[in-house]
Amino acid sequence: MGIAKDAFQSGPLAVTEHQMTQTQSLAQQQALADDRPTKPALWKGWRRRCPKCGEGKLLHSYLKVNDHCASCGEDFSHHRADDGPAYLTILVVGHVMAPLMHYTAFEWRPSPWVMATVFSVGCLTASLYLLPRLKGVVVAYQWARRMHGFDKGS
C-alpha cells in the first residue's frame, strides 16, 4: 500500500487529493448538465412550453410566466428573466431592420413617410412576435443551467 501511495503522490505526474476532488466535482457538474440538455430546453422555451416536459404552457397572458407547469409541476416562480428578453429583442430587431432600412433607402429611395410607416410597423410586428419567445428562451436557459433556484429538486 505504501508503494502505491508513494507512486501516486510523487513524480512529474503527481496528482494531489485536491485535484482529484476538483475532477470529481467537474464530473458531477457534467452529469448535471447532461441531465438537462440546453438545446432542447431552448427550443421548448422558444415554443413557450415547459422546458422540462415540453407540454405545459410556460407563459400565460402575453409575458407572465406561470408559477408552475400544469403538466409536470416544475416550479417557475423563481425565474429571473428581468430585462433580458427585451434586450435580446432590441438586439435582433435592430440588427435585422437597420441593414434593411439602409438597403431600401439607397436602392429604392422611398419618401420618408413611407419609410417611417413601413419600418415602424415592421419593427413593432417583429418585436411583438419575438418578445414572448425570447422570454421563454431565457427562462428555459435558466432552467437548463440550474440558475436562480432551478437547481433545487429534480
Side-chain angles (χ1 to χ4, degrees):
M1 187 110 167
I3 295 172
K5 186 176 180 182
D6 292 336
F8 182 69
Q9 292 181 349
S10 64
L13 300 176
V15 178
T16 65
E17 190 173 321
H18 174 70
Q19 289 171 327
M20 287 180 52
T21 306
Q22 191 175 21
T23 304
Q24 289 172 350
S25 68
L26 289 174
Q28 290 170 348
Q29 288 176 359
Q30 184 63 33
L32 288 176
D34 292 341
D35 180 26
R36 294 182 178 179
T38 305
K39 286 182 184 180
L42 294 179
W43 177 244
K44 292 171 188 173
W46 176 263
R47 293 183 345 209
R48 296 165 297 172
R49 297 290 178 192
C50 170
K52 183 177 181 181
C53 69
E55 298 297 321
K57 290 185 177 182
L58 184 60
L59 305 174
H60 67 276
S61 67
Y62 182 62
L63 289 176
K64 300 284 185 188
V65 177
N66 288 325
D67 288 335
H68 64 280
C69 176
S71 296
C72 68
E74 181 70 27
D75 184 23
F76 300 125
S77 62
H78 41 71
H79 78 88
R80 300 281 302 170
D82 299 333
D83 293 334
Y87 292 132
L88 290 173
T89 300
I90 291 168
L91 182 75
V92 170
V93 172
H95 279 83
V96 169
M97 289 297 179
L100 287 175
M101 286 178 68
H102 182 77
Y103 178 77
T104 302
F106 288 104
E107 186 67 27
W108 292 307
R109 302 208 182 267
S111 71
W113 285 107
V114 170
M115 281 280 290
T117 304
V118 168
F119 281 99
S120 293
V121 169
C123 285
L124 184 65
T125 303
S127 296
L128 291 175
Y129 176 78
L130 286 175
L131 192 56
R133 285 158 180 78
L134 290 175
K135 184 157 189 170
V137 166
V138 168
V139 173
Y141 184 79
Q142 291 175 359
W143 176 83
R145 294 297 180 177
R146 299 176 185 272
M147 298 166 68
H148 308 296
F150 281 115
D151 59 343
K152 298 173 184 158
S154 58

